[in-house]
Amino acid sequence: MAAPVGDIGLMGQNLILNMNDKGFTVVAYNRTTSKVDNFLANEAKGSKVQGAWSIEELCAKLKRPRKIILLVKAGSAVDDFIAQLSPHLEAGDIIIDGGNSHYPDSIRRTKELESKGLLFVGSGCPLWPLSHARWSPAAWPHIKEIFQATAAQVNGEPCCDWVGETGAGHYVKMVHNGIEYGDMQLIAEAYDILKRGLGLHEDEIADIFTTWNKGVLDSFLIEITANILKFKDDDGQPLVTKILDKAGQKGTGKWTAIAALDAGMPVTLIGEAVFARCLSGLKEERMRASKVIAGPQKEPFKGEKKQFIDDLEQALYASKIMSYTQGFMLMRETAKELNWNLNYAGIAQMWRGGCIIKSVFLGDITAAYNKTANLESLLFDDFFNKAAHKAQPGWRRIVAQAVLWGIPTPAFSTALSFFDGYRSEVVPANILQAQRDYFGAHTFKVVPGKENSKLPLGQDIHINWTGRGGNVSASTYSA
Ligand code: 3PG
């Protein structure tokens, strides 16, 4: 018996009814008890769903070990509910956090509850059915059946699995959301290029997206964007053209970017996607700037439209490959740091269904990690390596054209810069190191093969750059 607690909103209702349909006994509780009455009298009428009108009653009704799913806003509300529930629970009972909690909170909660003999599961649900699960490992056998039965299924496999220790699950969910920000931003930029660059109408753009959805970009986000573009207001105008261009954010993309900075990993596309939302938020300032800052004179597009649209598809695909490459590099690094044993093929498989970034593309990522479990990056996988190479010419043409038009493409551009940086044996960090040593004596190392008696290999070297006019001399080294 499981009990969703907290919010009997759309997601809570779907979860309860889904579990009921799969043959589980469910107790619904909401602190606004009239919501329980309404739900039982309407949506849950005729089902086996039971109600509880107090925390005590809820805990009394549940079979041990109790499995309680919290569907409350991430943050203090989760702690408040845990504090209310804990006195009524017994050792071995399981609290499941179904919200988008920040992973350090999940690590803390797991430790706190385990010290009281309780088990904790962090399980954010971007779309119901469940797509993620992460927890006290001892909780898994008790809830595996419920979770996997109610999860989305792709090719007969449930999109729900054990991810890793303590906060690993919420960490992976956070990266999922960051990647979601990136995918959304890439689609928005493609729309902008088609609209402002090629001058297409929303209906034409919708048709392009519908076509793309049959190819390598086949995904939930491309599909809903086509639907959004076709949606008309009462006056026949595409509704999307009436939506204020200020994007909100609840924080999971920002957390991913912060985590990337903390880990020292170049997760540039998600970072740009977050900053693009920040820039969109400066609506009034942008309006003022648009009056005084001119862009390039817009030249009408003279090329072959069909080729351009194919190039754009390839640019979106290649940029997406970069974003997922970066996201998986981040998970790899953090797993190393925190001793998590992450199953990357399993993570990609979990994201294939029941979540916002679900796509055919994730099947290729699953295949890549199934082939090589410890793959350094997706770009070392044959399939993605070839795909990026094939996309490269069109991708460059799109970024170049957008720059000439003055249409901002932070996500497309940073993806291409990452690609060019990642494939560069030599980057200009020698200049940075020289500057750091010049102004701050931060030292540098010599390139292997270029060492000499004055530039010893493997040593931290400092030069007095001004004292000798830049000439190196033995007396200026401090190794
Ligand atoms: C959600 O939880 O709705 C999304 O996954 C992320 O939300 P955001 O775009 O508001 O941050």
Side-chain angles (χ1 to χ4, degrees):
M1 182 185 277
V5 166
D7 172 21
I8 311 187
L10 190 58
M11 197 168 87
Q13 288 180 13
N14 287 344
L15 168 60
I16 294 167
L17 296 174
N18 184 355
M19 286 180 166
N20 175 76
D21 291 348
K22 300 285 171 2
F24 300 104
T25 311
V26 197
V27 183
Y29 170 75
N30 192 296
R31 70 183 164 181
T32 311
T33 51
S34 57
K35 289 196 180 176
V36 179
D37 297 324
N38 282 339
F39 179 54
L40 294 180
N42 295 293
E43 293 84 357
K45 196 170 174 187
S47 73
K48 291 193 177 139
V49 175
Q50 299 179 26
W53 285 263
S54 69
I55 295 263
E56 293 82 346
E57 184 186 3
L58 169 81
C59 294
K61 278 188 165 170
L62 294 174
K63 206 170 81 186
R64 291 180 197 93
R66 298 175 177 90
K67 302 156 200 81
I68 299 175
I69 303 174
L70 302 183
L71 294 175
V72 295
K73 199 168 168 233
S76 59
V78 178
D79 290 312
D80 291 349
F81 253 115
I82 290 175
Q84 287 176 51
L85 283 164
S86 297
H88 306 284
L89 300 180
E90 290 161 83
D93 286 347
I94 303 161
I95 296 180
I96 301 154
D97 174 11
N100 268 330
S101 291
H102 197 193
Y103 75 97
D105 289 334
S106 301
I107 295 175
R108 171 179 57 79
R109 287 172 188 140
T110 305
K111 285 185 187 147
E112 282 170 9
L113 289 173
E114 284 186 348
S115 73
K116 295 178 189 162
L118 300 171
L119 301 177
F120 180 76
V121 177
S123 171
C125 316
L127 279 184
W128 203 255
L130 276 166
S131 69
H132 295 78
R134 46 283 178 152
W135 36 60
S136 310
W140 179 226
H142 298 289
I143 56 177
K144 179 178 177 180
E145 194 195 344
I146 306 175
F147 273 48
Q148 293 199 332
T150 50
Q153 314 282 320
V154 174
N155 302 333
E157 294 286 325
C159 296
C160 169
D161 207 347
W162 184 81
V163 168
E165 302 78 355
T166 57
H170 264 138
Y171 191 90
V172 169
K173 174 59 184 12
M174 176 192 77
V175 175
H176 161 283
N177 277 37
I179 287 175
E180 171 186 316
Y181 274 53
D183 281 0
M184 292 166 75
Q185 177 63 26
L186 287 168
I187 291 172
E189 289 176 19
Y191 163 73
D192 204 15
I193 289 171
L194 291 168
K195 170 107 184 144
R196 286 202 286 162
L198 284 194
L200 301 186
H201 183 270
E202 274 66 21
D203 287 340
E204 296 172 288
I205 303 174
D207 289 343
I208 292 169
F209 278 42
T210 302
T211 306
W212 286 353
N213 202 39
K214 295 178 188 134
V216 289
L217 297 177
D218 180 346
S219 60
F220 171 74
L221 280 168
I222 292 281
E223 182 190 339
I224 67 162
T225 309
N227 294 341
I228 287 166
L229 291 165
K230 277 185 272 188
F231 194 97
K232 303 286 188 309
D233 195 12
D234 293 344
D235 60 1
Q237 293 304 309
L239 181 68
V240 75
T241 59
K242 300 184 178 183
I243 295 179
L244 188 69
D245 54 336
K246 261 177 116 163
Q249 49 181 316
K250 293 207 292 282
T252 43
K254 181 179 83 177
W255 293 342
T256 314
I258 292 171
L261 290 170
D262 285 342
M265 293 309 281
V267 186
T268 61
L269 198 141
I270 296 174
E272 287 293 351
V274 175
F275 285 132
R277 290 197 192 192
C278 299
L279 183 64
S280 82
L282 305 177
K283 176 71 179 176
E284 291 73 22
E285 198 170 327
R286 284 189 289 112
M287 283 169 74
R288 286 192 295 281
S290 72
K291 304 280 182 292
V292 295
I293 310 173
Q297 198 67 39
K298 170 112 177 2
E299 299 287 336
F301 181 69
K302 296 196 194 81
E304 167 58 42
K305 264 193 192 173
K306 160 92 177 64
Q307 178 64 52
F308 185 85
I309 292 164
D310 289 347
D311 283 354
L312 189 57
E313 181 183 20
Q314 289 300 308
L316 214 167
Y317 182 46
S319 302
K320 204 170 144 127
I321 294 173
M322 296 311 122
S323 182
Y324 285 67
T325 297
Q326 295 178 345
F328 277 78
M329 283 166 70
L330 174 61
M331 289 190 284
R332 177 197 77 196
E333 200 56 27
T334 307
K336 216 188 295 167
E337 175 83 22
L338 299 179
N339 284 322
W340 289 337
N341 192 14
L342 299 184
N343 168 4
Y344 301 104
I347 290 168
Q349 166 66 27
M350 258 191 325
W351 292 349
R352 283 204 64 191
C355 67
I356 290 168
I357 64 170
K358 67 179 175 178
S359 66
V360 166
F361 173 80
L362 282 159
D364 299 321
I365 299 184
T366 307
Y369 280 103
N370 272 336
K371 225 185 312 157
T372 314
N374 59 351
L375 189 63
E376 205 170 359
S377 98
L378 285 177
L379 295 173
F380 286 114
D381 174 73
D382 264 3
F383 176 85
F384 286 108
N385 186 293
K386 284 197 185 105
H389 276 98
K390 182 170 167 248
Q392 200 177 156
W395 187 15
R396 292 188 190 282
R397 284 193 288 269
I398 291 295
V399 172
Q401 183 60 65
V403 170
L404 291 174
W405 273 333
I407 296 177
T409 53
F412 281 126
S413 305
T414 197
L416 187 52
S417 288
F418 170 79
F419 178 71
D420 284 334
Y422 193 70
R423 65 178 188 79
S424 292
E425 188 183 339
V426 177
V427 294
N430 52 339
I431 292 290
L432 306 179
Q433 284 300 98
Q435 290 167 335
R436 294 180 70 242
D437 190 55
Y438 190 118
F439 62 68
H442 295 309
T443 75
F444 60 88
K445 284 191 164 69
V446 70
V447 175
K450 300 213 170 164
E451 68 273 18
N452 57 39
S453 59
K454 296 172 189 167
L455 297 168
L457 190 65
Q459 304 275 332
D460 292 321
I461 301 165
H462 168 59
I463 299 274
N464 180 352
W465 294 87
T466 49
R468 290 180 176 264
N471 290 335
V472 291
S473 108
S475 63
T476 59
Y477 296 127
S478 67

